[in-house]
Amino acid sequence: MSPLKIVIADDHAAIRTSLRLLMDRDLDLDVIAEAADGLKAIEAVQTLQPDLLILDITMPERNGLEVLQYLRDEKHTLAIIILSNHREQIYIAAALRLGADAFVAKSAGFAALLQAIRIVRQRTPLYLPEYVTKNAGQDSIQGGSLEAEIMADFRQTRREWAEAS
């Protein structure tokens, strides 16, 4: 299997650099570009045609949900993993509804991101809305299909999602 071509979009240079360094250790992952804002993320996807976009929510120019919506509206078929500090269900629901393949909280750590990448790469018919819940004071990963549960509780409009970010 050829290496997975990845674009990392996050407004924090330290996050982008750290992810690149960690992923460079894995021969199956190839970070081909980084983007510091939403417009640069869209440009990188259109120009480089990566297999995967790792996308933060809070970014300048266009937030991650706007980038996700644009790419899905334009029928881009690349996998998109949202990697965010926002762990509230409204963000998870919005990301899933807009077509994210997975949602990983930054606090879940690199191992959770790698797990999401592996599942998304296999294109398992499982939404991986990885999210963090508080369990006895420690972050723990919860996986599985939460789409129906979240969709029933959060019926925000696109405008409301944009205002929340």
Side-chain angles (χ1 to χ4, degrees), residues 40-62:
K40 287 182 177 61
I42 291 169
E43 182 180 313
V45 167
Q46 291 174 330
T47 303
L48 301 172
Q49 298 294 306
D51 303 308
L52 171 66
L53 173 62
I54 297 175
L55 183 62
D56 188 17
I57 290 179
T58 306
M59 292 189 302
E61 301 302 323
R62 298 281 187 274

Side-chain angles (χ1 to χ4, degrees), residues 76 115 128:
H76 286 274
Q115 178 188 10
L128 185 72

Side-chain angles (χ1 to χ4, degrees), residues 45-157:
V45 167
Q46 291 174 330
T47 303
L48 301 172
Q49 298 294 306
D51 303 308
L52 171 66
L53 173 62
I54 297 175
L55 183 62
D56 188 17
I57 290 179
T58 306
M59 292 189 302
E61 301 302 323
R62 298 281 187 274
N63 70 46
L65 296 178
E66 292 170 323
V67 171
L68 174 60
Q69 180 180 349
Y70 176 83
L71 293 173
R72 292 306 188 223
D73 286 349
E74 292 295 313
K75 307 296 186 232
H76 286 274
T77 59
L78 79 160
I80 299 175
I81 296 175
I82 299 293
L83 180 66
S84 179
N85 281 325
H86 296 288
R87 302 180 316 194
E88 299 84 5
Q89 285 188 340
I90 188 170
Y91 293 105
I92 299 166
L96 292 176
R97 194 173 314 139
L98 291 171
D101 294 285
F103 189 103
V104 181
K106 287 181 179 177
S107 63
F110 188 65
L113 177 60
L114 280 180
Q115 178 188 10
I117 291 170
R118 303 264 184 258
I119 290 172
V120 166
R121 184 175 195 172
Q122 294 171 0
R123 291 293 187 176
T124 307
L126 161 74
Y127 281 105
L128 185 72
E130 295 273 328
Y131 72 104
V132 177
T133 59
K134 292 294 184 186
N135 183 7
Q138 295 184 346
D139 287 340
S140 62
I141 301 298
Q142 301 250 332
S145 181
L146 298 176
E147 185 177 24
E149 173 187 326
I150 293 168
M151 298 288 272
D153 293 336
F154 298 96
R155 305 227 180 255
Q156 272 64 35
T157 65

